[in-house]
Amino acid sequence: MSLSRISCEQAHELMHNSCCQILDIRDPQSYQLSRPAGAKPLDNNTLPAFLNEADRQAPTLVFCYHGNSSQQAALFLQQEGFTEVHSVDGGFELWRQLYPNDIES
Ligand SMILES: O=S(=O)([O-])[S-]
């Protein structure tokens, strides 16, 4: 199984062109402050419910701070049967610089 890493630009395109699930694995305080628009928090507390309810066929984007730990999370989700999961390179830190209008706070 190979990990898919995509750029913020590709993630932005996916978000606007297809229905996708957006996950934010940063710490809860950072998530509360601001996050990619439409992102849901994914942590040890929310994981079980997410795995129960998620659409495993839907494109799924994983954000962390800089795009490092999201790679592990994306691999994990792949192993859980998600067929189109991508780790977003540059993470939220790059995202918020490139797309300040696609942030929720
Ligand atoms: O969130 S991070 O692993 O990219 S520092």
Side-chain angles (χ1 to χ4, degrees):
M1 235 184 268
S2 69
L3 167 67
S4 167
R5 292 169 55 182
I6 63 173
S7 65
C8 280
E9 288 84 355
Q10 289 171 300
H12 190 252
E13 214 163 287
L14 259 181
M15 255 184 219
H16 287 274
N17 294 334
S18 64
C19 163
C20 61
Q21 315 182 89
I22 306 163
L23 302 173
D24 186 337
I25 64 165
R26 296 173 307 140
D27 69 88
Q29 291 81 357
S30 303
Y31 175 86
Q32 284 303 328
L33 272 178
S34 59
R35 55 203 167 268
K40 299 204 173 92
L42 189 70
D43 57 30
N44 288 338
N45 294 326
T46 61
L47 182 64
F50 176 72
L51 290 178
N52 270 337
E53 293 156 11
D55 176 357
R56 284 169 163 69
Q57 317 302 320
T60 302
L61 306 178
V62 186
F63 281 87
C64 63
Y65 295 93
H66 299 290
N68 297 316
S69 45
S70 53
Q71 295 177 38
Q72 290 307 314
L75 265 182
F76 170 79
L77 292 173
Q78 251 183 10
Q79 286 157 4
E80 290 291 323
F82 287 75
T83 57
E84 210 193 316
V85 54
H86 311 284
S87 169
V88 182
D89 279 348
F92 183 66
E93 290 304 316
L94 182 58
W95 179 266
R96 68 178 183 180
Q97 289 173 36
L98 294 175
Y99 303 111
N101 293 331
D102 287 297
I103 282 178
E104 261 170 27
S105 52

